[in-house]
Every structure is written in C-alpha cells, then in structure tokens.
Amino acid sequence: MRFLGSEHKTPRPPAGKWYGLVIMALFLFACEQAPIFDMISREVKPREPRVKGVPTKMVLYEYETSKYGMYVADSSLHRYAAEVPNGEGVWDKGSIPQPSGRIFDLAATKSYLYALTDPDSPRLYRFDWKEMKWTEVKFVSDNQGYSRLQTIYGECGSDGKPLTDSLYLGASNSAGAYAVFHTDGITGLTLIPSTTGLLTGAAYDGSDKHYFATDGGGVYTSTNPDTLGFSLVPETEGAIKGLIQLPFPSSSVIALRGDGALIELNSGSVKKVYEAADNSLSLTGPAAVWKDNGGNTLLLLAVRVSLSGSNSTYGYRELDITSGFPTGDITLKEPGSDPAHSTADDNKRYKDTIEPKPVNSLLQVPSDRTLFASVQGRGISQNNTDGGLWSYRSRDGIWQWNAEE
C-alpha cells in the first residue's frame, strides 16, 4: 500500500558495490571481446603475387661467378638474387634471357639452367650464363616413343645448390609407360634402361652415389651416371615422391614415400627412419632444409592431410634435424606449434594462410634466408591471390605466409 505524501524507493546497493558491478561488467565484456581482438590481430590480407598461377619448382643457378640466383617460372622466367649491399634479394634485375615457348618446369646443374617448354609439344632447353643463350637439347638417337616430356631434375645439395652436371628427364609414351633419360650437359639425352614410373627427384650423396626417384618404380642408383648403369635400390619400391640430401651426415639422402614414410639411403644401406602413425597424412614430394640464425636446422616436407573423402589440408611439416637425423620416436610438427624451433611464429596464422593450399616446391634462399613456396591455388579466391609464389616475411609488422609481391 502506498500512502499519500509518502515515497517508496527500491533499495539500492551502496556506492562501492555499484562501482564493483561496473568493473565486473567491463571485465566480462573485455573477456568476451579478447578472442575477437586476437582473431583480428592474426588476420592476413591476401596479396597478389608477382609470379602467378601455378609456378614451377624453384632452383638455384650460378648466373655469374659465385653468384647464385633463385629461378622460378610462371610460363616466363624470373630471378631473385642478392644484388644490393645489405644482401637482400631483388627481383628480375639485369639480363634474364627467355627460352622459346612457355616454361612448365625448371632444373639446374653446375653448368646449366634447364627449362621444359610448351606442354602440348614439349622441348628441353639449357642456358649457359657464360654464353648468355638458350640451346635446345636433343636426344642422342631419338626419344624412342617417349615424346611427352614431363619433369626434369638436377642433383642438388641440402642448400639447393647444384652439385654435378647430371640432368634427368622423365617422359611418357602414348601407352602411358614411363622412361628416364640422362644428359651430362655435353652429350644429348640418352635413355636409362629398365626404369619405370614418373621421375620425381634426383640427388647426389656428396661421396660416390647418384640417385633418382620414380613414382611407382622406386629409387635407382649408380656410381657413374654417364654409363647409365643404374640399378633399383632394394626396399624402395613404391610411390617415391621426392629425394633430398641432408646436411649431415653428408653421405645421406632421404627418399620421401607417398604414404608418409622416410627412407634413409646412406653408403649403400637402406633404412626406414620414419613411418606416419596417422594414415591420413601423405608426403607429396617437395622438401627443403631450413636454417635460422640461432642454429636450428629443420627438414621441411610438403604434405596432404585427408580430413574426409573429399576434403584435405596441405601445407608442410617440420622435422628438427639440428643435431642430426633424430632416432627413436619422430614427430613431424606443424609450423608455429613450437615457435622457438620453427619456420613460423604462429600456428594459427600458418593454418589460416598456407595450410589450405598444396605446396609444389619449397626453398630457402641462401643469400638472405628467405623461405619461398610455390603454392597451388584451389579456385576459391579472386584477383590472382589464390596461388602463385609465396614467401614468409614480415608484412605490416606481422610475420606471415603471403604472396611474394
């Protein structure tokens, strides 16, 4: 009951309690907003790459005495090389002659840069920087029906620099059979007998053994490639997707099998040193050795991870080989999951940028240590921001994977 002339008031908390309630409300609001602010701080704006589409693999080639450039193509050839006093790389400075036709694969040896051109009617060219010209490489006799030239590889060290003058070419015929050819840069292309599977890599152990890998045929080896006397390495049969030399021991080469296994080839011995516990992870072939200024050395491996029958993620994984190839339990880590020993400082940002995309090539440039990736788009972005050549750099104050501009 309310009486005339009286005033009824709802009890209110003391002033101090009001102040506490306001602080609590602001705190709760801030907590709710923190994840949003965190997400915004990690967002990366896609950039348009200077090397567009689906670039070739990247290779290092000595374009002047003791000067190595990184070469990559998106039908035409591009070069990234240290040309300024602080050692940072610059793009397309100086004369970069182009071969005839549209480039779809590159390889390098100590003496030559090689390019496959014109996918519909492929031809092989080699470039000699001393003569500054491209020359078509012919077959010694004929291609013996293997007219569909598909891939080329030189024998490189763990830093990507060519070690020999051996060049391997993979080709197929109209029946779908595969073959591998070899040239030493002096003679033409010669068929290596009794090989099967698409050529997927080449490596030299730095001592006496030369290797090349095939997808479906395994790994082949020889102590003298010029004799073409290659033999199949036991226990390497299957889908070998790539080869890479390790920095130590110097005579060690790792074969990457599609099912996620790593096979060490060392002084004639064969040893499976890793097998993926998760059968959803497969190795796609590209690999690189990465080093930082703090002494960390990582083996980078491009992967495909099946999430369902029609959905996959890609990107790459890291294996710490700072103290040599690890023994016992081996873990391939996602970039950024251990920032102190990783190519990336943030796992979430890695997942948002390069992980959704297939990686066709990986290379750390020795001059300024920039890490590059040839990235294949998936048709989900516009304005050429989906694929192309990417790099891991600081942009807008944030270290990130993004298109190399």
Side-chain angles (χ1 to χ4, degrees), residues 75-357:
S75 74
S76 60
L77 191 64
H78 300 267
R79 183 177 70 206
Y80 178 86
E83 289 284 352
V84 290
N86 59 9
E88 292 182 2
V90 294
W91 281 100
D92 295 336
K93 183 177 179 181
S95 176
I96 307 173
Q98 302 286 324
S100 175
R102 183 165 63 92
I103 303 170
F104 67 92
D105 201 10
L106 289 176
T109 66
K110 289 184 69 175
S111 300
Y112 301 106
L113 176 67
Y114 288 84
L116 279 177
T117 68
D118 296 329
D120 294 331
S121 182
R123 291 176 291 175
L124 177 66
Y125 290 89
R126 69 180 173 216
F127 175 75
D128 183 346
W129 70 266
K130 296 176 183 178
E131 297 182 0
M132 290 297 287
K133 69 176 184 179
W134 288 89
T135 304
E136 185 173 0
V137 183
K138 302 288 189 177
F139 292 86
V140 169
S141 55
D142 59 53
N143 59 30
Q144 301 187 45
Y146 296 97
S147 59
R148 300 176 182 177
L149 315 185
Q150 294 177 300
T151 60
I152 48 175
Y153 289 90
E155 297 177 334
C156 301
S158 60
D159 60 359
K161 293 180 180 178
L163 296 176
T164 72
D165 270 323
S166 284
L167 187 282
Y168 303 86
L169 178 145
S172 64
N173 61 20
S174 58
Y178 294 98
V180 177
F181 294 81
H182 174 269
T183 177
D184 59 4
I186 300 174
T187 60
L189 291 161
T190 306
L191 178 68
I192 299 175
S194 305
T195 58
T196 60
L198 176 66
L199 177 70
T200 54
Y204 174 52
D205 69 359
S207 178
D208 65 343
K209 292 192 178 298
H210 303 258
Y211 299 94
F212 68 84
T214 62
D215 188 350
V219 179
Y220 295 81
T221 187
S222 173
T223 56
N224 187 355
D226 294 341
T227 66
L228 307 177
F230 283 85
S231 59
L232 179 65
V233 178
E235 301 178 45
T236 64
E237 297 87 348
I240 304 298
K241 300 295 185 178
L243 294 175
I244 186 167
Q245 185 205 62
L246 294 184
F248 34 72
S250 59
S251 58
S252 182
V253 169
I254 294 293
L256 290 64
R257 206 166 68 189
D259 61 2
L262 299 176
I263 302 170
E264 184 181 31
L265 312 173
N266 191 345
S267 301
S269 67
V270 181
K271 180 183 178 182
K272 185 188 294 183
V273 291
Y274 175 78
E275 188 166 14
D278 183 0
N279 59 14
S280 67
L281 183 145
S282 59
L283 300 175
T284 59
V289 172
W290 175 89
K291 297 181 179 180
D292 67 6
N293 293 323
N296 292 309
T297 303
L298 305 178
L299 175 61
L300 311 183
L301 303 165
V303 298
R304 177 180 182 271
V305 181
S306 298
L307 303 179
S308 65
S310 59
N311 192 20
S312 299
T313 60
Y314 298 88
Y316 62 100
R317 294 290 186 270
E318 301 172 338
L319 177 62
D320 193 336
I321 57 172
T322 304
S323 302
F325 202 91
T327 58
D329 293 336
I330 295 175
T331 301
L332 300 183
K333 295 184 178 180
E334 290 186 357
S337 59
D338 181 11
H341 305 87
S342 178
T343 57
D345 67 348
D346 188 294
N347 179 249
K348 175 66 167 57
R349 194 177 296 124
Y350 157 81
K351 287 178 174 291
D352 289 343
T353 53
I354 197 171
E355 187 187 60
K357 303 174 187 296

